[in-house]
Every structure is written in C-alpha cells, then in structure tokens.
Amino acid sequence: MTIREIAAALGAEICQDEFDDDELTGAYTSDLLSDVMAYAKDGGALITIQAHKNTVAVATLVNISVIIICNSRPLPDDMLEAAKDEGIAVVRTNENQFNVSGKLWALLGNKL
C-alpha cells in the first residue's frame, strides 16, 4: 500500500503532503530515536509521538518514508518544513501507537 492509501485507511490527516507516494515496506514503532536509528528499515513508516525536527533528521538517516504522529500531538512548523525539505510525509492521527501499529500490521504484515 502507498503512503496515501495507508493514511486513508487509518483515517489520518496528511500534514506534510509533498512526498513521493511510494509503497511502504514496513513500519517501526518507537519514541526513542536512537532505537529508530538502529532498527527501522528503509522505506517504512515511523509510528511515534515525537513531534519535533529531530524526528525528521532521524527519519532521513534511515530513509523513513512517512512519520505517523499519534495522539493528535501538535506539529511544530520547523518539523513540517524539515519534512518537506526531505520529502518525508507526515501524517497525524488521534489514535495511540498500539492501535496504529496493530492496524498497520493488519494492512501490511502479511504482504512483507
């Protein structure tokens, strides 16, 4: 599924929409950015509550395609600008990380 298809399936708001609508290759859930750097995979989604510019920097390092911000966290302008510069999608949902992770597993899990 593509990033836009995932966002629609999750009922998530696309907050930074200048990105290539690629197929997702998986997902990783963490709020510890050093953990994301060590274990997240190329072309995947990052599910987190860390809504700040450093999240985009880490996503860039490991080639994350979309950052999914949970719990309706506010998104600072500098984060969205950095994501735009890097071509990383940012979507936001009111759901928590557990629910989003489960839904993404159901959507992608058996296709990877």
Side-chain angles (χ1 to χ4, degrees):
M1 295 183 78
T2 68
I3 295 167
R4 290 184 191 281
E5 290 170 336
I6 292 293
L10 294 174
E13 168 192 14
I14 298 175
C15 300
Q16 193 306 98
D17 65 355
E18 293 185 31
F19 58 88
D20 293 332
D21 194 22
D22 296 326
E23 295 278 327
L24 285 183
T25 59
Y28 195 74
T29 304
S30 186
D31 294 325
L32 185 60
L33 296 178
S34 60
D35 186 59
V36 175
M37 287 189 294
Y39 299 107
K41 305 288 186 218
D42 280 2
L46 170 58
I47 303 164
T48 188
I49 59 168
Q50 295 292 343
H52 52 74
K53 190 175 179 180
N54 290 345
T55 307
V56 176
V58 168
T60 301
L61 284 173
V62 294
N63 200 29
I64 293 290
S65 297
V66 57
I67 301 169
I68 301 173
I69 300 294
C70 297
N71 296 335
S72 297
R73 296 280 176 138
L75 301 171
D77 291 338
D78 65 342
M79 177 193 185
L80 295 174
E81 188 64 34
K84 180 180 173 183
D85 291 345
E86 297 296 339
I88 297 172
V90 177
V91 303
R92 179 172 50 191
T93 178
N94 63 352
E95 294 199 59
N96 66 40
Q97 294 146 291
F98 179 80
N99 289 339
V100 172
S101 297
K103 287 180 178 183
L104 269 182
W105 182 86
L107 291 167
L108 300 174
N110 62 354
K111 298 177 180 104
L112 300 177

